[in-house]
Amino acid sequence: MPGLIVVGAQWGDEGKGKVVDVFSAHADFVVRYQGGANAGHTLVVNNVKTVLHLVPSGILHPKTTCMIAAGVVLDLAEVAKEIRDLKAAGVLANPEQLRISDQCTVLLSYHRQLDQAREAALGNEKIGTTGKGIGPAYEDRASRRAILFSDLFDRAKLREKLEHSLKEKNFLLEKFYNAKPVAVEDVEREVLALAEELEPYRCKDASFIIHKALKGGRKVLFEGAQGTMLDLLHGTYPFVTSSSTLSGSACVGSGVGPNLVQKIVGITKAYTTRVGSGPFPTEIQGDLAERLRQEGGEFGATTGRPRRCGWLDLVALKYAIRVNGITSLALMKLDVLSGHERIEVCTAYRLDGQEIKELPVSSTDLTRVEPVYRTLSGWSGDLRNVRALQDLPQAARDYIQFVASEVATPIDVVSVGPGREQTLWIKPLFS
Ligand code: GDP
């Protein structure tokens, strides 16, 4: 049963999109299982850049079927735009290549309005959401007022659900946030036009199809969005996203049992970044941070926001390995660390005078920890043209070895650039 989950082992933006694109060449299905258009995956193929928010990163491989599963909040306008852009670029000629589960939660313009009005009202206390309406859409799902993708094709039910949902949303927008209310007719018109455009991609039983594929020995890759530390339950709450980003969510979000998954690959950068507010123990400031940001192109794919940058945090990485059950790692962006005389790696924290090796569960404690660093030798030279592990400078190989042995987990892939060819395979992943 060759099910493989790709999961972000840090705060997101680890390079999952590239890994999924590279693995997809060997996959029959790629399934996106949580999050929404707040995630942005950047793929670079033959120097052409494609940014995807909802469509799975396997879409550039014509023989791979891409599935948007029930756990995803589906921004209709965004997914329709992505499909149009892909078609204009000559991708997705066959609609069968993209399947959207009938069980997905639909995200509409009023979710975005509510998200933005809330963040604005929070002022300095804001979470730093992308303003894409993800939180309000998941809230609708939990409070049983969500519009599902299947509802778009039942006009009477759609109207009834929209009226029900807007009654409360408009009250909040107008009376609580002093914002403009939304007219049900306008939303309905927009939704019906998008429903027609998206109908060819409709999938009535995604869970059954994925299960059948796994049982039949087909290769299924589950693509995570965001990262472990942003998980709703196990991340740095409240500075988290509104879905579960852990590997377990792949099974829940797509409706298959965990016994059908064989491998869980954690994606980590060779350093750390974080977008938005919240604790980040190994954050660095000043010229060094700016250098990592520029060299790594650390600006959000969805919002363009500069990412906060810091050294690799092995305490947080070990936590990610534990809560996801990660079986191996992909170490990304090693090229970005070139040219530093010394590289720091956080191996423990100091909290209230004690050295600790486990991540504190309380976010308040996590803001108080001081990182304990091990200093390793850096290396010089451009790694982006290296194509084999043995051609890396010795210090870079030592760095990889040090990380793998500290976290007691094999590193199966090392990445030295955004392109497919800039991937050093240590072990084939779908074996
Ligand atoms: P994701 O959300 O985890 O898919 O990550 P993003 O796409 O937001 O960020 C990763 C960025 O790093 C993208 O622009 C990738 O093209 C780029 N990238 C991926 N791997 C590497 C690498 O090994 N080296 C460099 N320099 N860039 C990389």
Side-chain angles (χ1 to χ4, degrees):
M1 287 163 289
L4 184 153
I5 300 173
V6 168
V7 69
Q10 299 173 303
W11 274 275
D13 311 310
E14 297 93 347
K16 296 176 293 295
K18 167 177 165 165
V19 175
V20 173
D21 170 62
V22 170
F23 291 176
S24 298
H26 312 271
D28 299 302
F29 285 83
V30 177
V31 182
R32 173 78 192 275
Y33 54 84
Q34 47 75 224
N38 50 343
H41 298 307
T42 313
L43 316 181
V44 181
V45 180
N46 300 330
N47 289 321
V48 180
K49 192 165 142 181
T50 308
V51 180
L52 300 169
H53 299 284
L54 280 159
V55 172
S57 306
I59 203 70
L60 302 184
H61 297 276
K63 290 205 180 111
T64 308
T65 303
C66 287
M67 184 86 80
I68 301 181
V72 171
V73 285
L74 190 73
D75 184 327
L76 292 187
E78 180 61 47
V79 77
K81 180 183 178 303
E82 253 172 68
I83 291 172
R84 269 180 243 132
D85 289 351
L86 285 166
K87 282 164 95 174
V91 182
L92 196 52
N94 175 6
E96 292 290 320
Q97 210 204 326
L98 177 67
R99 310 279 77 212
I100 302 176
S101 166
D102 254 4
Q103 308 297 316
C104 283
T105 302
V106 165
L107 186 153
L108 295 168
S109 50
Y110 55 84
H111 294 113
R112 276 183 242 118
Q113 277 158 280
L114 202 54
D115 193 358
Q116 288 159 19
R118 267 188 200 160
E119 279 287 275
L122 283 171
N124 285 343
E125 303 290 303
K126 65 175 187 256
I127 307 288
T129 76
T130 52
K132 300 268 180 188
I134 312 295
Y138 274 119
E139 283 167 26
D140 274 1
R141 184 72 183 223
S143 61
R144 277 113 29 203
R145 35 170 104 74
I147 292 166
L148 305 191
F149 190 54
S150 57
D151 296 333
L152 304 192
F153 311 102
D154 179 340
R155 217 171 153 161
K157 192 170 177 191
L158 175 67
R159 174 77 190 206
E160 192 188 309
K161 281 189 135 184
L162 276 176
E163 278 172 2
H164 179 61
S165 188
L166 279 177
K167 211 187 273 179
E168 189 220 22
K169 299 287 180 299
N170 279 337
F171 181 83
L172 282 173
L173 282 170
E174 253 189 306
K175 304 272 190 291
F176 197 75
Y177 295 112
N178 268 330
K180 269 201 189 146
V182 183
V184 69
E185 293 74 22
D186 292 347
V187 181
E188 189 185 32
R189 202 174 317 115
E190 187 196 344
V191 172
L192 289 175
L194 290 166
E196 198 179 316
E197 210 177 327
L198 295 173
E199 194 160 18
Y201 305 96
R202 181 176 182 192
C203 176
K204 293 196 177 162
D205 199 348
S207 148
F208 176 72
I209 294 171
I210 302 165
H211 185 264
K212 200 168 91 180
L214 283 163
K215 282 286 192 188
R218 318 242 356 239
K219 291 171 178 148
V220 180
L221 197 160
F222 296 89
E223 174 181 16
Q226 292 95 29
T228 300
M229 303 304 287
L230 297 176
D231 181 79
L232 183 59
L233 295 179
H234 302 282
T236 55
Y237 193 85
F239 301 103
V240 293
T241 194
S242 21
S243 63
S244 170
T245 58
L246 303 187
S247 61
S249 171
C251 299
V252 177
S254 50
V256 298
N259 58 332
L260 297 179
V261 174
Q262 189 189 37
K263 278 190 175 177
I264 301 163
V265 183
I267 315 300
T268 175
K269 283 179 196 177
Y271 49 97
T272 310
T273 63
R274 163 163 210 167
V275 185
S277 321
F280 179 2
T282 61
E283 182 169 19
I284 47 181
Q285 310 285 351
D287 290 351
L288 199 51
E290 195 49 39
R291 187 168 156 194
L292 283 178
R293 191 171 299 123
Q294 294 301 334
E295 299 268 321
E298 297 300 352
F299 300 90
T302 304
T303 58
R305 282 186 289 186
R307 295 176 183 147
R308 296 159 66 193
C309 295
W311 297 117
L312 186 59
D313 181 342
L314 297 183
V315 181
L317 187 56
K318 273 201 285 194
Y319 175 75
I321 291 167
R322 170 160 62 84
V323 292
N324 288 293
I326 286 170
T327 53
S328 64
L329 291 165
L331 187 69
M332 312 300 288
K333 293 197 153 185
L334 190 66
D335 53 301
V336 175
L337 284 187
S338 283
H340 291 267
E341 212 168 296
R342 282 182 303 279
I343 296 173
E344 309 285 358
V345 188
C346 168
T347 53
Y349 297 148
R350 196 165 292 115
L351 181 65
D352 298 327
Q354 300 261 326
E355 196 169 299
I356 54 169
K357 292 235 168 192
E358 295 297 329
L359 190 103
V361 283
S362 137
S363 279
T364 316
D365 283 348
L366 198 59
T367 48
R368 296 193 307 115
V369 300
E370 273 174 56
V372 176
Y373 286 116
R374 172 80 70 90
T375 305
L376 302 186
S377 305
W379 58 86
S380 55
D382 189 351
L383 304 191
R384 286 173 297 182
N385 294 320
V386 173
R387 295 292 173 269
L389 201 63
Q390 63 269 25
D391 297 334
L392 287 172
Q394 185 60 46
R397 277 148 61 193
D398 291 345
Y399 185 75
I400 299 167
Q401 182 57 43
F402 178 77
V403 173
S405 91
E406 278 287 308
V407 299
T409 304
I411 295 177
D412 280 357
V413 175
V414 175
S415 175
V416 291
R420 280 179 185 165
E421 66 292 350
Q422 292 164 309
T423 315
L424 316 184
W425 295 80
I426 299 173
K427 257 197 203 160
L429 277 152
F430 263 128
S431 52

